[in-house]
Amino acid sequence: MRMDRGEERQRASYAWESCPAPLPSSNRSKWVRLNVGGTVFLTTRQTLCREQKSFLCRLCQGEELQSDRDETGAYLIDRDPTYFGPILNFLRHGKLVLDKDMAEEGVLEEAEFYNIGSLIRLIKDRLEEKDYTVTQVPPKHVYRVLQCQEEELTQMVSTMSDGWRFEQLVNIGSSYNYGNEDQSEFLCVVSKELCSSPNGLGCEPSRKAKHKEEEEEEEQEQEEETEAEAEADAAEEKGAANP
């Protein structure tokens, strides 16, 4: 069967259009193919060299690393491709984005293999924050009810310490006669923060609560010093007025 020259030119044209034009040598050196556990990733040398001391940077620069290649020329890396995707994206834009079912521990293991320092620090910080949140137990409060007379009330409230706080004062309406004076009795409700550790044992108040208590104690001491100074000044003025 013979074809005329027009059909030959048309078929030659189709054959030329179906074959992609080869990339210039500069573009071929810019892109790198990685075969990670059977999955091929395509990226640039610039991306892989974001971490200068990483395995990937040394690999694409050919520094002291002997890595086999597949039939397409991609570097063969015997690691899990599932966790390599987030690592490659981190090198691209500097953010760690994980699927909800992906474990950070798995990404950390791969990041340590590839020696990506900034990613290792980021994941460890996340894991430490997560562990701290899990171990935090809401604080509990212990309440006590103290019975006292009116003349003892001020002293009892002012001398409360060791984390105890005044909550409520209830006049129980009872009175006893001491000579010509009636002494009312009160119920004083106080509380103390008691946080529970994960093993069920009590522990000291939280750091925030301790800091607040220290501030209140300092304020109370300053008030007492101010009152003492005022009383001393008043005594001196009285002594000066009455020599």
Side-chain angles (χ1 to χ4, degrees):
M1 180 178 179
R2 297 183 61 185
M3 293 184 296
D4 57 17
R5 293 185 178 180
E7 291 178 354
E8 289 180 357
R9 288 197 209 97
Q10 188 174 9
R11 289 197 176 187
S13 175
Y14 289 157
W16 173 259
E17 292 175 358
S18 62
C19 296
L23 292 174
S25 59
S26 59
N27 288 341
R28 286 200 303 269
S29 62
K30 175 182 177 181
W31 292 93
V32 179
R33 294 169 63 90
L34 303 172
N35 187 334
V36 182
T39 302
V40 177
F41 295 86
L42 182 64
T43 186
T44 63
R45 294 181 183 274
Q46 181 180 2
T47 298
L48 297 179
C49 291
R50 291 281 168 81
E51 287 281 340
Q52 294 294 326
K53 297 182 180 180
S54 69
F55 168 85
L56 297 172
C57 179
R58 295 173 59 194
L59 179 67
C60 67
Q61 290 181 349
E63 295 183 2
E64 303 176 1
L65 295 178
Q66 298 296 331
S67 177
D68 295 333
R69 301 196 184 202
D70 63 11
E71 62 278 3
T72 65
Y75 290 102
L76 289 169
I77 303 175
D78 186 21
R79 303 297 294 184
D80 190 342
T82 304
Y83 295 106
F84 185 76
I87 290 177
L88 185 58
N89 286 330
F90 176 81
L91 293 175
R92 285 167 173 160
H93 48 62
K95 297 180 181 179
L96 179 60
V97 181
L98 302 177
D99 295 336
K100 61 180 181 179
D101 297 329
M102 186 172 293
E104 291 180 333
E105 291 81 357
V107 182
L108 176 61
E109 185 70 23
E110 297 303 302
E112 290 177 342
F113 171 80
Y114 294 111
N115 194 29
I116 303 175
S118 56
L119 181 56
I120 294 172
R121 292 189 294 270
L122 175 61
I123 300 177
K124 285 185 175 180
D125 290 342
R126 282 192 180 187
L127 293 176
E128 289 178 1
E129 183 178 355
K130 185 184 296 184
D131 292 341
Y132 176 78
T133 304
V134 171
T135 55
Q136 282 294 96
V137 179
K140 296 181 180 180
H141 290 82
V142 177
Y143 292 88
R144 287 183 180 177
V145 179
L146 306 176
Q147 185 173 353
C148 62
Q149 297 177 359
E150 184 176 359
E151 63 181 5
E152 303 170 340
L153 183 61
T154 303
Q155 181 181 3
M156 185 191 67
V157 174
S158 62
T159 56
M160 281 194 309
S161 60
D162 196 23
W164 290 99
R165 297 179 181 278
F166 174 77
E167 295 288 345
Q168 188 177 4
L169 183 66
V170 179
N171 189 338
I172 59 177
S174 301
S175 62
Y176 298 90
N177 291 329
Y178 294 90
N180 297 326
E181 297 181 357
D182 293 338
Q183 294 290 330
S184 299
E185 291 207 351
F186 295 87
L187 294 179
C188 183
V189 183
V190 296
S191 69
K192 180 179 182 180
E193 181 179 324
L194 182 66
C195 61
S196 299
S197 60
N199 55 11
L201 301 177
C203 62
E204 292 295 325
S206 63
R207 184 181 301 176
K208 184 177 181 180
K210 285 185 177 180
H211 182 65
K212 189 175 182 181
E213 289 176 6
E214 292 174 356
E215 289 181 348
E216 291 178 353
E217 289 177 359
E218 291 178 359
E219 291 177 358
Q220 184 176 355
E221 291 177 358
Q222 291 176 358
E223 290 177 358
E224 292 176 354
E225 291 177 359
T226 303
E227 292 177 358
E229 292 175 357
E231 292 176 358
D233 293 340
E236 290 178 359
E237 291 177 358
K238 185 176 180 180
N242 299 317

